[in-house]
Amino acid sequence: MAPPPGRERRGPGAPCDPGAMNELPLLLIVDGANVVGSVPDGWWRDRFGAAERLRDRLAATAPEGIAGEPGPVEVLLVVEGAARGVGSVPGVMVEPAPGSGDDLIVERVRAAAGRTCVVVTADRELRRRVEA
């Protein structure tokens, strides 16, 4: 079944429930470790700082929305490891994973059942788990 217009799968993200149409804003769940690690900018020397920079870029995006989805969008940034201490800011809720970030993302997708959301990751296994 194809999602309604404006709810298509976008880029490397995986939709939580592409058929959901409700009054809640789009939930954008970002795999922090995966996204930070996709750009070879020295993130490995300062994982905490790299996660903060990603959070701040997401905060600037939240009010305006993402391609094909007008804002505001609700953003959840899942962090793990050395980035666990990164705090939330207006527009971006940061949630530290007590263990695997992938497991927490799958839990949040399940909790969002019936709501339109997009998971941003390049992790094929996580995409498979989210889509299941």
Side-chain angles (χ1 to χ4, degrees):
M1 174 167 148
R7 303 292 191 191
E8 297 88 5
R9 180 187 200 141
R10 292 176 281 282
C16 298
D17 187 348
M21 296 295 290
N22 54 42
E23 299 301 314
L24 295 172
L26 174 91
L27 174 60
L28 182 67
I29 303 174
V30 180
D31 180 355
N34 184 269
V35 172
V36 163
S38 69
V39 179
D41 63 357
W43 60 265
W44 52 90
R45 290 188 297 268
D46 181 13
R47 294 170 194 255
F48 185 90
E52 283 186 318
R53 289 188 297 278
L54 174 58
R55 177 206 58 200
D56 294 346
R57 288 192 310 268
L58 291 167
T61 302
E64 297 159 13
I66 60 175
E69 189 69 41
V73 298
E74 185 178 334
V75 180
L76 171 63
L77 174 61
V78 174
V79 295
E80 57 187 83
R84 281 194 182 107
V86 172
S88 298
V89 296
V92 179
M93 181 176 153
V94 178
E95 186 168 356
S100 162
D102 292 1
D103 291 346
L104 180 58
I105 290 169
V106 171
E107 287 176 29
R108 294 301 169 255
V109 167
R110 284 188 185 124
R115 178 177 185 184
T116 301
C117 66
V118 172
V119 173
V120 178
T121 187
D123 182 326
R124 289 182 183 169
E125 176 60 18
L126 176 57
R127 286 179 62 183
R128 183 198 62 75
R129 291 176 65 196
V130 166
E131 289 170 346

